[in-house]
Amino acid sequence: MKFIRILLMLTLAVGIAACGNSKFRKYNGPEVTQIQVHKADRKMYLIHKTEVLKEYDISLGFNPVGHKQFEGDGKTPEGLYFISHHNPRSRYHLSVGISYPNENDLTYALEQGKDPGGDIMIHGRTNYDSRHKGDWTAGCIAIEDDDMEEVYSMLRKNTPIYIFP
């Protein structure tokens, strides 16, 4: 009987400890009204009106100079896009989708007889091979996993994201 009680207490303790390590955070601060990504500086800013709420160091596509045009070009898009969705099951810890390609991107790629690509995200680094330094994604914006948990909680669908060269 004493053994069962101890076993139950240990199970309860492990369960409570596991809940404390959730990657899903709560955010009750000011609304993020826009995101700015400055590719040249490798910085991302979450902004409320004119106030920078948070600043993050980022990694980009493995071929970061210039605007993404085609599938596999390794570039991160430039221009105005929007947060399209949250992905809690991302292979890169957590991710939020970016609305690339927009109508202009799609039209240009099709005129060139190519696929514009897609599935561009802001995501964490889980499963990242840390032997590679610098820019390493296929065109996404990558941040540390802890930072991604914070960003994931702060962003809402349709938040504008401005990606500058």
Side-chain angles (χ1 to χ4, degrees):
M1 188 70 153
K2 189 174 183 179
F3 174 75
I4 292 173
R5 230 182 254 185
I6 292 171
L7 184 60
L8 285 174
M9 291 174 87
L10 285 173
T11 303
L12 181 62
V14 169
I16 290 170
C19 290
N21 292 330
S22 173
K23 64 183 176 180
F24 300 104
R25 298 185 189 180
K26 301 273 189 237
Y27 176 70
N28 296 317
E31 174 188 11
V32 176
T33 56
Q34 69 172 282
I35 306 154
Q36 289 188 9
V37 173
H38 296 259
K39 289 171 59 173
D41 298 331
R42 302 303 189 273
K43 294 286 185 186
M44 179 174 72
Y45 304 92
L46 302 189
I47 300 169
H48 172 73
K49 297 184 180 179
T50 59
E51 176 190 358
V52 174
L53 299 172
K54 292 288 184 170
E55 173 184 327
Y56 302 95
D57 294 324
I58 61 172
S59 296
L60 300 168
F62 62 84
N63 187 17
V65 177
H67 173 60
K68 180 166 193 62
Q69 295 178 318
F70 310 117
E71 176 75 28
D73 65 8
K75 296 183 182 298
T76 301
E78 296 173 357
L80 171 61
Y81 297 92
F82 297 89
I83 297 303
S84 59
H85 65 283
H86 285 67
N87 180 1
R89 293 189 174 97
S90 173
R91 73 181 212 188
Y92 294 105
H93 192 58
L94 292 170
S95 63
V96 291
I98 297 173
S99 65
Y100 176 89
N102 62 27
E103 190 174 317
N104 292 336
D105 298 320
L106 185 58
T107 299
Y108 179 78
L110 294 176
E111 286 173 351
Q112 303 303 308
K114 296 188 176 186
D115 182 338
D119 207 24
I120 301 298
M121 308 272 178
I122 301 169
H123 62 67
R125 294 180 177 267
T126 297
N127 295 329
Y128 163 65
D129 183 349
S130 63
R131 291 175 293 174
H132 303 289
K133 301 293 180 201
D135 297 316
W136 58 274
T137 78
C140 295
I141 298 161
I143 59 179
E144 296 295 330
D145 286 349
D146 285 346
D147 292 339
M148 189 62 226
E149 291 175 9
E150 184 173 61
V151 168
Y152 189 91
S153 73
M154 294 175 76
L155 297 185
R156 300 293 172 255
K157 186 175 180 179
N158 296 320
T159 303
I161 178 168
Y162 297 89
I163 305 174
F164 299 104

